[in-house]
Amino acid sequence: MAWGAWVVFVDEAGRNLRPPKGRTWALRGQTPILGVPGTGSGRGSIAGLVCLKQSRRTRLIYRTITYHRRKAEPKGFGPGDLTALLSAAHQQLGGPIVVVWDGLPAHVCTATRAFIDAHTDWLLVYRFPAYAPELNPAEGVWACLRDKLLNLAVDGIDQLTLVIRSKLKQMQYQPTLLDGFVAETGLALQPP
């Protein structure tokens, strides 16, 4: 695979209905209290791809899965979901991709390995070293998303998923923000 491939950093994250704590604007000594309705439960899972290519703008591709605690409902991203996301990224980016991801079990399972072996014409995969989240620009996406969700109280998991999608959509249209996440890792795209 030539240098013209997209470098794609993959990571997964999740959110539940408990809002992260943060500072707010309030009078000193009068701590505001946000009520969380507590109706329903569940989890929103997110898979994000930060896509880089020299002389092209940095892209963010993501997918969400909402888990409502129902029978036979997926709790998060499995091998089939991840391989479908990689195929969609290949179609969206319009070229070969080099994937860099961690050692999550869904990344190294037999089904994912078979998919990678079947698509060697456009897909090359590398793994991060163990315990190296500071090398992944997608971690910056999750930190920024967390900051945007501080002290947010929602009515249910579906509303939380909508807010997450909205915030990620805003990030998609801010390539300089995505470039900042890449710069934070110390990565520089220079041809060999």
Side-chain angles (χ1 to χ4, degrees), residues 11-23:
D11 199 26
E12 294 83 20
R15 284 270 167 239
N16 57 19
L17 290 177
R18 172 169 280 172
K21 294 180 183 175
R23 294 180 181 243

Side-chain angles (χ1 to χ4, degrees), residues 42-182:
R43 180 175 176 80
S45 296
I46 317 151
L49 285 66
V50 177
C51 310
L52 310 167
K53 187 173 182 180
Q54 191 174 23
S55 72
R56 301 288 296 271
R57 73 175 177 87
T58 305
R59 310 257 318 258
L60 172 65
I61 300 172
Y62 66 90
R63 296 291 184 272
T64 60
I65 292 178
T66 305
Y67 172 59
H68 298 92
R69 297 188 182 268
R70 297 179 185 143
K71 275 190 174 182
E73 187 177 40
K75 292 182 181 179
F77 286 88
D81 301 314
L82 290 172
T83 56
L85 179 57
L86 291 177
S87 294
H90 171 61
Q91 294 299 318
Q92 273 186 295
L93 299 172
I97 60 177
V98 176
V99 171
V100 185
W101 60 19
D102 54 16
L104 189 74
H107 296 172
V108 295
C109 72
T110 307
T112 305
R113 188 80 247 162
F115 175 82
I116 293 167
D117 292 341
H119 295 93
T120 55
D121 55 328
W122 59 266
L123 180 62
L124 185 61
V125 176
Y126 291 100
R127 282 182 54 189
F128 281 116
Y131 307 110
E134 69 278 358
L135 299 176
N136 193 347
E139 294 289 344
V141 173
W142 307 142
C144 184
L145 179 64
R146 181 188 178 280
D147 289 347
K148 291 176 184 263
L149 297 177
L150 285 178
N151 294 327
L152 174 73
V154 295
D155 288 330
I157 194 67
D158 291 322
Q159 185 183 10
L160 177 65
T161 302
L162 287 174
V163 171
I164 288 171
R165 285 182 184 163
S166 171
K167 300 300 182 187
L168 289 173
K169 185 82 167 169
Q170 291 171 6
M171 283 189 226
Q172 282 183 319
Y173 291 103
Q174 297 175 338
T176 54
L177 177 66
L178 299 174
D179 289 339
F181 299 148
V182 174

